[in-house]
Amino acid sequence: MRKKNFFLRTGMAILAIASAFLQPLQVKANTNEGSYTYNYDYWGDYMDSADFYNSCKVFTSTELGLDTKLKNPQGLFANGNTLYLCDSGNNRIIELNRISPEQMEVVRIIDSIKGANPSTLNNPTDVSISEDGNIFIADNGNARIIKADKDLNYIMDFVKPTDNTLDPKLVFQPTKLAVDTAERVYCIATGINKGLIKYENDGTFSGFVGATPVSFDWTDYIWKKLASQEQRAKMESFVPTEYENIFMDYEGFIYATKARTEDQAHNDENAVRKLNLLGSDILVSNGDWSVGGDLYLGSGGGYEGPSILTDVTVMDNDIYVCLDRNRGRLFGYDDQGRMVFAFGGNGNMDGYFRRPSAIDHVGHELYVVDSLDCSITAFVPTQFGELVYKAIEDFDKGKYEESGEAWQEVMNQNGNYDLAYIGIGRSLLRQEQYEEAMKYFELKYDAENYSKAYKQYRKIWVEEHIFWIVLVILLLFLVPLSIGKVKAIRHEIDTADIFVLEKKG
């Protein structure tokens, strides 16, 4: 009987091993620690999170019903329920009607502009629509930004700026652009690192805006001072970093992304800037970590080097989502610079990317272009994601109690989600429940908000106990004073002549 059981168990083990080898191989996309959605805590530790977005639909040439397949798409712009896709390799822009996250239809193909010279587009890399409905196209191959009306009638060109600091031989190659409410144009061009190129609405070049600060190594700087002229000529120059992409939000602020080196990433330098009309960076960075994607830059598993944020889009709730072309991920940040979510990765499954190039949003939905897969992926928020958005938006509307309740539900679903604790604390702070707010801020080491709550709590405590505080202060001064006075009187009595004579008699 024992022999029978032994052979039975041995046979089952062999069968299990054989079955494992006979299973078809499955290629998994590279993910961070095996989780699709994640975040970082105060200590910088990787934290699994409930999924914030789901991949809803991947639109390829076939799904869009295109006769000519997409080729190297580069830009994407959302205007209401209309999406404009720059099919750069085919020298055209495809106008799409978003019926739902799962359904899109082609409205028209834009490959030429009536009355322009030349009339056909050449490698269009970005597009923007003004409030008046005019179309602005970064016509990279034709060295211009072209403006046309909604019926594609030519209006004007924006060409290479006239500036003495630019190399006369430099070919104007606009790559990304943004247009404000007055139809002023801001653009990025290859080889121009002085900031964003700004044009007035009549096409006049009006200067450069928001140049990035120059970063350099002090040892290189000192060596340059000591080196000969020939040696200096062979060294790299200290110049500003070119921007990767720009996006203008609903308030007219420009969000610009720039590539960071590994040294800059370790120095907590933000890879995103928020520029006002003067070109000053006003991005709030109250998070525990810089705005720049992944914290850990180790090689392996398909990843190497820091995140390169190639595009950014900003929702009406001030959540901005950055697209990482190096690691194939999306990173969402709130208006305080705290990471809200991170998900995605390199791979060939739905929800992963091979070479992401552009991102935009419709409501809370996200649409990502993959230039290598030639596709658009639609992402829709999960129930957890919508709950976080509700908590943030209720707070912005002044509904602090409702915001706190939503954050509580978020915390119930994901107890490791730091923003839920901070969100509850902020809602309690606005409801003047300072002592309770301090407890939540303390749990997540939010020193800034804890200080705000403590300041108000201390003020109220002092007001409520002012009588006893004054009484204690008086006692601290009066009691020693009285004791000293009594001792002095006693000393005078003891040393008085009358008492001294009586003692002698």
Side-chain angles (χ1 to χ4, degrees):
M1 187 69 178
R2 289 181 179 177
K3 289 183 178 180
K4 183 178 181 182
N5 289 337
F6 170 78
F7 286 121
L8 180 62
R9 288 196 299 269
T10 304
M12 292 178 66
I14 294 172
L15 181 61
I17 294 171
S19 299
F21 278 106
L22 291 173
Q23 289 289 333
L25 292 175
Q26 296 180 350
V27 179
K28 292 184 178 180
N30 294 313
T31 62
N32 194 347
E33 304 289 339
S35 175
Y36 185 64
T37 304
Y38 62 98
N39 210 318
Y40 295 104
D41 65 6
Y42 172 82
W43 307 105
D45 292 330
Y46 171 90
M47 301 293 290
D48 283 328
S49 173
D51 283 340
F52 211 95
Y53 276 90
N54 282 332
S55 172
C56 176
K57 177 83 172 181
V58 178
F59 296 92
T60 62
S61 305
T62 303
E63 279 75 20
L64 295 175
L66 295 171
D67 295 330
T68 303
K69 291 184 178 180
L70 296 172
K71 183 179 180 182
N72 192 32
Q74 290 296 319
L76 183 69
F77 184 83
N79 183 33
N81 281 320
T82 303
L83 297 177
Y84 295 84
L85 174 65
C86 290
D87 186 13
S88 305
N90 288 319
N91 303 318
R92 62 182 183 175
I93 294 171
I94 302 172
E95 184 177 328
L96 301 166
N97 178 31
R98 172 203 159 278
I99 300 171
S100 72
E102 297 180 336
Q103 187 177 0
M104 275 196 268
E105 62 180 8
V106 177
V107 177
R108 60 177 173 175
I109 303 293
I110 302 172
D111 54 10
S112 61
I113 303 298
K114 304 169 191 173
N117 183 25
S119 61
T120 56
L121 301 178
N122 185 359
N123 190 33
T125 53
D126 203 9
V127 61
S128 184
I129 311 298
S130 71
E131 288 188 350
D132 295 334
N134 293 322
I135 303 174
F136 294 76
I137 302 169
D139 195 10
N140 184 283
N142 286 326
R144 65 183 177 181
I145 295 172
I146 191 168
K147 176 182 177 181
D149 64 19
K150 60 183 179 181
D151 296 319
L152 305 182
N153 295 306
Y154 172 79
I155 297 178
M156 63 185 301
D157 283 343
F158 299 81
V159 294
K160 180 182 176 180
T162 303
D163 189 89
N164 294 331
T165 62
L166 295 179
D167 186 350
K169 298 179 182 179
L170 178 69
V171 178
F172 184 52
Q173 294 180 302
T175 56
K176 302 297 176 183
L177 61 87
V179 180
D180 65 14
T181 54
E183 294 197 342
R184 289 184 288 260
V185 176
Y186 302 81
C187 85
I188 299 170
T190 303
I192 298 179
N193 55 14
K194 301 178 183 299
L196 305 177
I197 305 168
K198 180 182 176 182
Y199 297 93
E200 298 300 325
N201 55 16
D202 61 356
T204 304
F205 167 65
S206 58
F208 299 102
V209 176
T212 60
V214 177
S215 59
F216 57 88
D217 190 298
W218 277 104
T219 56
D220 291 340
Y221 177 78
I222 295 171
W223 174 243
K224 267 198 168 187
K225 289 294 183 181
L226 300 175
S228 65
Q229 186 173 356
E230 292 181 0
Q231 290 172 326
R232 286 198 297 268
K234 296 178 181 179
M235 294 181 182
E236 291 185 7
S237 301
F238 301 134
V239 296
T241 305
E242 291 183 32
Y243 286 117
E244 287 277 324
N245 216 320
I246 54 176
F247 182 91
M248 184 166 289
D249 71 3
Y250 65 100
E251 294 180 309
F253 294 110
I254 296 175
Y255 285 73
T257 64
K258 59 188 180 70
R260 298 188 303 175
T261 64
E262 191 163 334
D263 290 338
Q264 290 170 334
H266 285 304
N267 290 333
D268 280 346
E269 181 178 334
N270 288 330
V272 178
R273 307 187 79 207
K274 182 180 181 180
L275 306 177
N276 59 15
L277 293 176
L278 300 176
S280 302
D281 182 16
I282 58 171
L283 186 77
V284 178
S285 187
N286 289 332
D288 298 320
W289 309 101
S290 62
V291 177
D294 277 331
L295 299 183
Y296 303 108
L297 313 180
S299 303
Y303 304 109
E304 183 176 359
S307 296
I308 299 177
L309 305 185
T310 192
D311 200 1
V312 60
T313 186
V314 187
M315 302 182 192
D316 291 347
N317 56 14
D318 292 322
I319 300 293
Y320 53 100
V321 185
C322 306
L323 180 64
D324 179 1
R325 78 159 181 256
N326 187 33
R327 295 170 174 262
R329 294 188 173 126
L330 285 78
F331 300 93
Y333 298 88
D334 66 10
D335 60 352
Q336 297 297 306
R338 297 186 179 94
M339 185 183 286
V340 181
F341 59 80
F343 66 87
N346 292 330
N348 54 9
M349 298 190 300
D350 290 357
Y352 296 84
F353 309 100
R354 297 174 66 193
R355 191 186 297 157
S357 58
I359 186 173
D360 213 327
H361 73 281
V362 176
H364 293 160
E365 300 164 13
L366 297 173
Y367 294 85
V368 179
V369 176
D370 191 319
S371 61
L372 195 58
D373 271 349
C374 299
S375 64
I376 303 175
T377 302
F379 291 94
V380 295
T382 61
Q383 182 184 9
F384 177 79
E386 287 290 11
L387 196 58
V388 173
Y389 283 144
K390 180 183 185 306
I392 292 172
E393 290 165 1
D394 281 346
F395 185 88
D396 291 340
K397 294 174 183 176
K399 300 178 180 178
Y400 305 124
E401 187 175 349
E402 291 88 339
S403 176
E405 292 172 354
W407 280 123
Q408 183 62 55
E409 182 59 32
V410 170
M411 191 167 65
N412 293 340
Q413 294 189 24
N414 184 2
N416 290 328
Y417 196 65
D418 286 5
L419 284 187
Y421 294 85
I422 296 172
I424 293 173
R426 292 180 71 195
S427 66
L428 291 171
L429 182 61
R430 291 301 181 94
Q431 296 176 66
E432 300 182 358
Q433 299 179 38
Y434 304 118
E435 188 175 8
E436 289 297 316
M438 287 163 56
K439 296 177 182 177
Y440 284 94
F441 294 140
E442 186 177 13
L443 283 171
K444 292 304 172 183
Y445 307 99
D446 189 346
E448 183 176 352
N449 281 315
Y450 182 89
S451 297
K452 292 179 181 178
Y454 178 73
K455 181 180 179 181
Q456 296 300 323
Y457 172 73
R458 180 181 58 192
K459 178 183 176 183
I460 292 174
W461 188 90
V462 169
E463 290 174 352
E464 291 177 348
H465 298 83
I466 188 66
F467 172 77
W468 296 106
I469 293 172
V470 173
L471 181 61
V472 169
I473 292 173
L474 288 174
L475 289 174
L476 289 174
F477 280 97
L478 292 177
V479 170
L481 187 64
S482 301
I483 293 172
K485 193 68 175 175
V486 170
K487 287 183 177 180
I489 294 172
R490 289 182 63 182
H491 178 72
E492 289 179 5
I493 292 172
D494 292 340
T495 58
D497 293 342
I498 185 171
F499 295 107
V500 172
L501 291 173
E502 287 180 357
K503 289 180 180 179
K504 287 181 178 179

